[in-house]
Amino acid sequence: MSNVSVILGTQWGDEGKGKIVDLLSSNADYVVRFHGGNNAGHTIVVNNKKYPLHLIPSGILNPKTKCVIANGVVIDLEVLAEEIKMFDVRGRLFISDRCHLILPYHKALDQAYENARGSQKLGTTTRGIGPAYSDKVSYNGIRIYELKDWNLFVEKFTFQANIKNKILKTFGIKEINIKKELEKISKFRKIVLPFVTDTFLLLQNALFQKKNILMEGAQAVMIDVDFSPYPFSTASNTIPGAVNTGAGIPVQEISKVLGVVKAYTSRVGGGPLPTELTDKLGDEIREKGKEYGTTTGRPRRIGWLDLEATKFACEVSGVTDLVITKIDVLSGLKNIKVCIGYKLNNKSIPYSSCGYQELAKLTPEYKEFPGWEEDIMKIKNFKDLPKNCQEYLRFIEKFLNVKISLISVGPQREEYIKI
Ligand code: GDP
Ligand code: IMO
Ligand code: MG
């Protein structure tokens, strides 16, 4: 049996996936990013030092782990070149030549659409993710593959940039300076190309040799392009199916799906958030949990844990194990609520039947738990957690019908409880 584990966010992103991938990668031969781009911000804290990663997989701090950026990822060369400089990646970083590029006009278009939407803006990270993926599926994308033949790349880039410049002009936005951008790309290209390879072959060999492979999900199920309240989405599929399409790993090779669940909810960007706390308590949790975007620095919106949505995320993703994070942030609250269902016009409605309009209108049903006072960040055994904390966790496990196998009680690598 192969050993491929997938780590996924089950909410709206920023559940603490990076910390968990770093922790588990001490046992992993490979850590693989398979979708998304540098809209992801995965923070790892080791010995009090913070590493915010956007593209390089979160296994990079474990010297024995090989890091793969597989074909489903969209790559901004400038961001990747910067990250390559930050770490010792020699012999440990492998990038698929099938990855599509996020080019300067994608970022400009992302911003242009957001500006044009005005009060209806979606709150994207403006990193060019949507425009890059839409070019990919409309045969207008340019892959890393093209960077190998510079003359051909220049030809393709110039063709696309001229068209995009016409579109940008209609938005009243400054056009791309093709010559200058090509000069920049030619520099980044030299930094990135040495790491470009056939990652399909690499991963097939790893599977054959029964290596331990960790698939590092980005974003989360609630913003999956198909299963989110579209258009409040990201542009990629975030569920385990993307492991197959985004890295070439057959679905039956997946042995575990670890669903990361933050003990409460956060969201950056627009769109309905049924359990949102817009009061002082929300502000308190934001400050205590340091809930500010790793990528954009935006304050994250805060809410109670939404088990109705999380149950859907577990079902659609086939989650086999739960990883609960940031439970320490709830210490000191008098009472803690969890959403256990939705009501619309006095009738129950499941998450899966809701579009963004229903999600914005419905009333969450809550169950309330008594809180706990103790600081739990140094606890190593489940039985040493305060009784009320244990009850809260047991309820989550029972409601979702999936066992908890790991609990994170702080941002540092060693702050966790294994079950
Ligand atoms: P990701 O995108 O899912 O990897 O999550 P982010 O890194 O964007 O956001 C999670 C934040 O919470 C980061 O700053 C982490 O260092 C931090 N973090 C992760 N796990 C815990 C935890 O259990 N407790 C606390 N207090 N912070 C955590
Ligand atoms: P990680 O991997 C939280 C959100 C954006 C916006 C929507 C679309 O760190 O959990 P996009 O730039 O992708 O077109 O924006 O998706 N978003 C995230 N929210 N965590 C992320 O990644 C996100 N990546 C995108 O805020 O609402
Ligand atoms: Mg993040």
Side-chain angles (χ1 to χ4, degrees):
M1 184 67 183
S2 56
N3 196 358
V4 179
S5 299
V6 189
I7 297 191
L8 296 177
T10 59
Q11 294 155 301
W12 280 266
D14 304 324
E15 294 87 354
K17 300 175 290 294
K19 177 205 159 148
I20 302 303
V21 171
D22 168 68
L23 180 63
L24 300 182
S25 63
S26 61
N27 267 328
D29 299 299
Y30 291 86
V31 175
V32 185
R33 279 281 311 267
F34 55 97
H35 73 96
N38 60 305
N39 46 350
H42 296 177
T43 314
I44 303 171
V45 187
V46 181
N47 297 330
N48 292 315
K49 195 168 162 23
K50 251 190 188 185
Y51 301 89
L53 293 167
H54 301 289
L55 277 171
I56 290 190
S58 300
I60 199 68
L61 295 178
N62 280 280
K64 287 194 194 129
T65 308
K66 294 194 163 87
C67 290
V68 180
I69 301 179
N71 58 280
V73 176
V74 283
I75 291 186
D76 182 325
L77 289 170
E78 184 168 4
V79 175
L80 183 58
E82 274 305 307
E83 284 193 357
I84 285 175
K85 279 191 225 152
M86 280 168 57
F87 300 99
D88 186 7
V89 292
R90 282 168 303 171
R92 299 180 52 214
L93 178 66
F94 305 89
I95 304 164
S96 169
D97 61 355
R98 290 185 164 89
C99 289
H100 277 252
L101 291 168
I102 300 176
L103 291 160
Y105 46 75
H106 292 132
K107 289 181 268 189
L109 281 169
D110 198 355
Q111 187 69 67
Y113 273 107
E114 279 293 78
N115 293 348
R117 288 182 192 115
S119 64
Q120 302 297 310
K121 75 174 182 185
L122 302 173
T124 75
T125 60
T126 65
R127 298 302 188 262
I129 305 295
Y133 275 115
S134 67
D135 266 359
K136 171 178 173 175
V137 295
S138 62
Y139 325 122
N140 289 306
I142 304 182
R143 304 196 300 179
I144 285 207
Y145 173 85
E146 305 288 0
L147 284 175
K148 295 178 190 173
D149 183 334
W150 183 241
N151 291 334
L152 210 54
F153 178 84
V154 171
E155 200 180 296
K156 297 210 166 191
F157 179 82
T158 307
F159 173 76
Q160 288 296 335
N162 276 323
I163 294 171
K164 274 23 178 226
N165 272 345
K166 284 184 195 150
I167 304 172
L168 287 170
K169 208 171 166 186
T170 64
F171 275 111
I173 287 210
K174 202 167 150 245
E175 293 158 55
I176 299 294
N177 182 323
I178 297 178
K179 190 165 166 276
K180 271 201 189 140
E181 293 302 339
L182 278 169
E183 275 165 20
K184 280 203 241 165
I185 294 170
S186 79
K187 278 192 213 136
F188 304 138
R189 166 182 180 260
K190 291 196 184 93
I191 300 170
V192 170
L193 270 186
F195 301 97
V196 172
T197 188
D198 179 353
T199 59
F200 172 76
L201 208 56
L202 183 82
L203 291 172
Q204 288 299 306
N205 285 334
L207 287 172
F208 184 72
Q209 292 169 27
K210 306 261 176 273
K211 298 284 188 194
N212 287 336
I213 304 176
L214 266 188
M215 305 302 297
E216 178 176 358
Q219 290 81 52
V221 178
M222 292 299 134
I223 51 175
D224 176 280
V225 67
D226 284 282
F227 289 104
S228 55
Y230 188 92
F232 298 100
S233 321
T234 190
S236 63
N237 281 116
T238 59
I239 57 177
V243 166
N244 189 194
T245 55
I249 291 184
V251 279
Q252 69 269 30
E253 297 286 350
I254 297 172
S255 46
K256 265 190 183 178
V257 179
L258 293 110
V260 186
V261 180
K262 179 146 64 180
Y264 51 94
T265 295
S266 75
R267 166 165 209 164
V268 270
L273 190 61
T275 62
E276 185 163 12
L277 287 163
T278 49
D279 54 4
K280 262 195 170 159
L281 185 56
D283 296 341
E284 235 173 76
I285 297 175
R286 179 180 307 107
E287 293 313 310
K288 189 147 183 239
K290 299 196 173 71
E291 295 292 355
Y292 290 87
T294 310
T295 300
T296 55
R298 290 178 291 177
R300 294 173 180 156
R301 297 157 64 197
I302 303 295
W304 293 120
L305 175 58
D306 183 342
L307 286 180
E308 171 61 33
T310 311
K311 192 168 175 58
F312 168 82
C314 290
E315 286 166 355
V316 75
S317 310
V319 169
T320 60
D321 295 69
L322 297 175
V323 178
I324 310 291
T325 58
K326 304 194 83 161
I327 184 81
D328 55 293
V329 175
L330 299 183
S331 297
L333 294 185
K334 202 160 177 307
N335 295 298
I336 297 166
K337 288 189 188 177
V338 278
C339 168
I340 52 169
Y342 297 157
K343 279 261 164 80
L344 187 65
N345 304 326
N346 290 323
K347 279 197 207 126
S348 291
I349 182 168
Y351 169 86
S352 60
S353 305
C354 297
Y356 66 92
Q357 303 217 43
E358 289 76 14
L359 279 177
K361 277 189 272 180
L362 57 75
T363 311
E365 290 188 291
Y366 289 108
K367 182 173 167 64
E368 196 162 318
F369 288 82
W372 59 90
E373 279 298 323
E374 297 90 328
D375 178 358
I376 58 171
M377 292 175 85
K378 299 288 166 261
I379 292 180
K380 287 307 267 174
N381 294 302
F382 185 83
K383 65 174 177 31
D384 297 330
L385 285 169
K387 282 277 158 316
N388 288 349
C389 180
Q390 290 189 25
E391 258 174 48
Y392 181 66
L393 292 165
R394 287 295 178 218
F395 181 81
I396 295 172
E397 195 169 44
K398 205 165 159 215
F399 190 97
L400 298 177
N401 197 22
V402 185
K403 66 179 187 298
I404 297 174
S405 64
L406 193 65
I407 302 166
S408 175
V409 288
Q412 301 272 350
R413 189 187 263 173
E414 56 285 353
E415 290 168 333
Y416 69 90
I417 297 169
K418 184 121 191 59
I419 300 187

